[in-house]
Amino acid sequence: MTPTTKKERIDALAESSASDSGVSLAASAWKRLRRSPVFLLGAVIIALFLVVAAISPWIAPHDPAARDLIDQVIKARNQIPGPQEGYPLGGDLVGRDLLARLLVGAQQTLLVGVFATLIGLAGGMVLGVLAGAFGGWVDSLVMRVVDVMLSIPQLLLAFGIGALFARPSLLTVILAVSIVQIPVFARLLRGSMLAQRSSDHVLAATALGVKPGPIVFRHMLPNSLGPVIVQSTLVLATSIIDAAALSFLGLGNPDDTIPEWGQMLGSAQTVIDSHPHLAFWPAGCIIVIALGFTLVGESLRDALDPKNRR
């Protein structure tokens, strides 16, 4: 029977609302992500990258440091080994298997991206919590430092930090890239925590006499991490690109027996006119994996936005 009066319509609406089971933001976001082709494409790219990086030492057809094809390298003629049986991508400038170096290089690239992001996230969370929880002069001091770091172009700042080390290595690349990411996480977390300070549950906890420590770490911080987690996926893509740029300019690990995509790209620049494939393959790997993390990060950002809930 269709309700006719205003009171009956209100009662019917209340009954239908009460009968519907509530859906959390996370469940609603996952429901949208499963239907998103952009997210699925990014997730497939990341999954393949993680699998290859994890098992690359076992699936690499040859030792990436062994110069098995050195007899086919003729520098006077600018000749390097081409694709052949057992070496589908050929060799590099000193006769090493290009495919094996790409596979093993995925592991080094993953290590740089993950550790740089984790260190940057940890440092940014410390500064963000200090600024967002205390406010006042602490907030002003932290934010002025963050503003100074953000005023310098990100890649230029990473180059400057990397150049400070006397001996470049994989560790120096991780430190340089992670320091650049700290102000990004700090500003984002600080903004989220400031928004939480005026929320109802924080005001209620304050009115009930809960101490500042539990309010910050039990009420404000957990509810502020959503945007930070989303940003970390985007920062992973940026970290991989920045690390590759540092290695390309010679600020990465000088030991070329341990392959890394940026390092491979840098060593190919001297012969890019005659042998462009030496730069194409590592550059393509960097672009694809950065695209994968970017697609997942953008999809997460849209899915976790409360405005998009249906």
Side-chain angles (χ1 to χ4, degrees):
M1 181 177 179
T2 304
T4 55
T5 66
K6 182 177 180 180
K7 180 179 181 302
E8 290 175 346
R9 290 197 298 269
I10 294 175
D11 292 341
L13 180 61
E15 291 177 0
S16 63
S17 299
S19 61
D20 292 339
S21 58
V23 178
S24 66
L25 178 60
S28 177
W30 174 241
K31 183 178 180 181
R32 289 194 297 274
L33 287 174
R34 288 183 300 176
R35 299 196 300 262
S36 172
V38 173
F39 172 79
L40 294 178
L41 176 60
V44 169
I45 293 174
I46 294 174
L48 290 176
F49 173 62
L50 294 177
V51 171
V52 169
I55 65 175
S56 58
W58 294 277
I59 64 175
H62 302 92
D63 184 354
R67 303 184 179 187
D68 299 331
L69 304 176
I70 189 63
D71 57 329
Q72 300 182 30
V73 177
I74 304 177
K75 293 185 179 181
R77 299 179 184 176
N78 196 19
Q79 177 180 323
I80 64 172
Q84 53 193 278
E85 185 178 358
Y87 300 86
L89 299 182
D92 64 359
L93 296 174
V94 292
R96 295 171 297 198
D97 183 16
L98 185 58
L99 177 59
R101 291 181 66 78
L102 284 173
L103 292 175
V104 178
Q107 192 173 76
Q108 299 298 312
T109 302
L110 177 63
L111 289 175
V112 172
V114 170
F115 280 105
T117 302
L118 290 177
I119 295 174
L121 175 61
M125 286 184 62
V126 172
L127 296 180
V129 169
L130 288 175
F134 292 98
W137 68 269
V138 176
D139 182 21
S140 299
L141 177 62
V142 171
M143 285 301 102
R144 295 302 75 78
V145 175
V146 169
D147 290 341
V148 170
M149 296 181 69
L150 290 176
S151 66
I152 305 174
Q154 184 170 322
L155 200 54
L156 182 60
L157 180 59
F159 291 160
I161 296 173
L164 294 176
F165 298 98
R167 294 184 177 181
S169 64
L170 190 66
L171 179 59
T172 62
V173 172
I174 293 175
L175 291 177
V177 175
S178 62
I179 292 174
V180 170
Q181 308 298 345
I182 287 177
V184 177
F185 287 115
R187 178 172 286 277
L188 183 60
L189 183 57
R190 178 251 188 188
S192 298
M193 293 196 66
L194 289 180
Q196 290 294 322
R197 288 178 64 180
S198 58
S199 61
D200 293 339
H201 63 93
V202 172
L203 294 176
T206 304
L208 291 174
V210 180
K211 295 181 178 180
I215 289 179
V216 171
F217 293 103
R218 294 182 184 177
H219 298 275
M220 295 173 62
L221 183 58
N223 291 287
S224 303
L225 290 179
V228 177
I229 294 174
V230 173
Q231 183 65 28
S232 64
T233 60
L234 299 174
V235 166
L236 257 172
T238 306
S239 298
I240 291 174
I241 295 174
D242 290 349
L246 288 173
S247 298
F248 177 81
L249 294 176
L251 298 176
N253 187 5
D255 185 6
D256 62 354
T257 61
I258 304 176
E260 193 267 328
W261 290 344
Q263 179 195 79
M264 295 172 63
L265 186 60
S267 63
Q269 62 180 323
T270 57
V271 294
I272 194 170
D273 292 335
S274 55
H275 304 289
H277 69 283
L278 293 180
F280 171 80
W281 288 110
C285 292
I286 294 171
I287 292 171
V288 170
I289 189 56
L291 175 64
F293 282 113
T294 302
L295 293 178
V296 169
E298 294 292 345
S299 300
L300 283 173
R301 176 184 293 172
D302 294 338
L304 292 173
D305 189 349
K307 297 179 182 178
N308 294 332
R309 297 190 71 180
R310 295 291 186 267

